[in-house]
Amino acid sequence: MIRHEDNILIGISGGKDSLLLSLALATLKKRSPINFTLNGFLVDQTGGTMQTNLLSEYMNELGINFYIENHPTYQIIETREERSPCGLCANLRRGILASKAQELGCNVIALGHHKDDAAETVLLNLLYGGRFKCYHPHLYMSRTKMRVIRPLLYVEEKKIIMETKRLNLPIVNSCCPYGDKSKRKSTKELLQHIENDVPEIKSNLLHALKNCEYNDVWKDVLLNGELEKLKDIS
């Protein structure tokens, strides 16, 4: 995922995932023969009430350049009476993060999504969007000419929680007013319920993303006004 002379911007939320990701990358930087640069960027959506000083001290200890930008995300969502606040919030943060990466001359954006996030996203897209899809561990964005990496994507959330507690990382919550009402929260609960009967559900969902065979999916029989030549699946 990381290449020589990469200039990486880590998306910081203040939560456990981005803090552990920052620590992991800072540790890797010290030990790796590959030379790369690390920057951290936080979009403060709380209107300035977030305790960012703790995060600044933590990033300074790790030797990571740290930047903060205030954005009235929650105010915009409330004003618009947004029906899908999580989607709008994610789009706004993604745009701000990409703009900051371009400003700093970064060619890579590192995000802290983990295994549970990916499995939940698959279910969200399946249940509410009618599509079987998820974001990628490593993706090149042609429009911005940047790569997006998710180094923690195969790590389960419970392991991240255990490690952040063991290391006593300075987690700072953003106090999102929509977290308890989101579709992601209900999907997380559904996934946990399924996991009671199917312990390997998360691994199976990620495995399915990489093993979708041509003959496993339904295809339109009519293509450009002619019958598609169906493959023999016998």
Side-chain angles (χ1 to χ4, degrees):
M1 287 187 176
I2 299 176
R3 303 168 185 172
H4 187 62
E5 299 299 339
D6 273 347
N7 191 3
I8 302 172
L9 183 64
I10 308 170
I12 304 297
S13 66
K16 62 187 186 310
D17 310 324
S18 60
L19 295 193
L20 189 63
L21 174 61
S22 299
L23 175 59
L25 292 179
T27 303
L28 178 64
K29 179 176 170 59
K30 293 179 180 178
R31 301 179 180 180
S32 174
I34 297 176
N35 182 48
F36 58 92
T37 305
L38 290 176
N39 308 274
F41 179 51
L42 168 72
V43 181
D44 183 357
Q45 302 166 298
T46 65
T49 62
M50 193 175 185
Q51 295 180 324
T52 56
N53 59 311
L54 297 176
L55 296 175
S56 297
E57 293 173 5
Y58 175 69
M59 300 300 279
N60 184 57
E61 290 176 3
L62 295 179
I64 298 176
N65 305 316
F66 188 48
Y67 306 88
I68 302 172
E69 182 173 323
N70 293 315
H71 188 270
T73 307
Y74 300 152
Q75 182 181 343
I76 292 174
I77 292 174
E78 183 178 355
T79 301
R80 290 177 47 163
E81 298 182 352
E82 183 63 37
R83 296 178 60 183
S84 302
C86 294
L88 175 60
C89 180
N91 288 334
L92 289 172
R93 281 189 290 109
R94 190 181 301 115
I96 297 170
L97 190 61
S99 296
K100 190 65 177 181
Q102 289 179 318
E103 177 188 326
L104 296 175
C106 297
N107 67 312
V108 179
I109 295 176
L111 302 176
H113 295 119
H114 48 66
K115 191 174 186 177
D116 295 58
D117 287 329
E120 291 160 15
T121 300
V122 172
L123 287 182
L124 276 167
N125 285 322
L126 184 63
L127 296 174
Y128 298 103
R131 299 180 65 187
F132 189 79
K133 59 174 289 188
C134 186
Y135 37 68
H136 294 256
H138 192 176
L139 176 68
Y140 177 72
M141 300 187 297
S142 58
R143 185 175 62 84
T144 58
K145 295 181 173 57
M146 290 184 195
R147 301 191 339 265
V148 176
I149 62 174
R150 296 177 169 88
L152 301 181
L153 205 54
Y154 289 96
V155 182
E156 289 194 41
E157 184 177 28
K158 62 183 179 183
K159 293 183 179 179
I160 293 176
I161 293 173
M162 290 172 58
E163 194 64 9
T164 51
K165 287 183 178 179
R166 184 184 73 83
L167 296 170
N168 194 29
L169 299 187
I171 296 174
V172 179
N173 294 318
S174 62
C175 302
C176 173
Y178 305 97
D180 290 335
K181 307 172 186 177
S182 68
K183 291 178 180 177
R184 180 168 289 275
K185 182 176 184 295
S186 60
T187 303
K188 176 184 284 289
E189 293 170 351
L190 173 62
L191 183 63
Q192 291 172 344
H193 178 72
I194 296 174
E195 195 173 19
N196 292 331
D197 294 323
V198 189
E200 63 277 13
I201 179 63
K202 288 179 285 192
S203 294
N204 285 347
L205 286 173
L206 269 60
H207 176 76
L209 285 168
K210 300 184 293 182
N211 293 275
C212 187
E213 300 292 339
Y214 178 83
N215 288 320
D216 289 343
V217 298
W218 290 4
K219 296 165 286 294
D220 290 335
V221 175
L222 291 177
L223 183 63
N224 296 326
E226 298 180 1
L227 286 177
E228 181 184 3
K229 295 181 180 180
L230 300 177
K231 293 185 176 180
D232 183 11
I233 60 174
S234 60

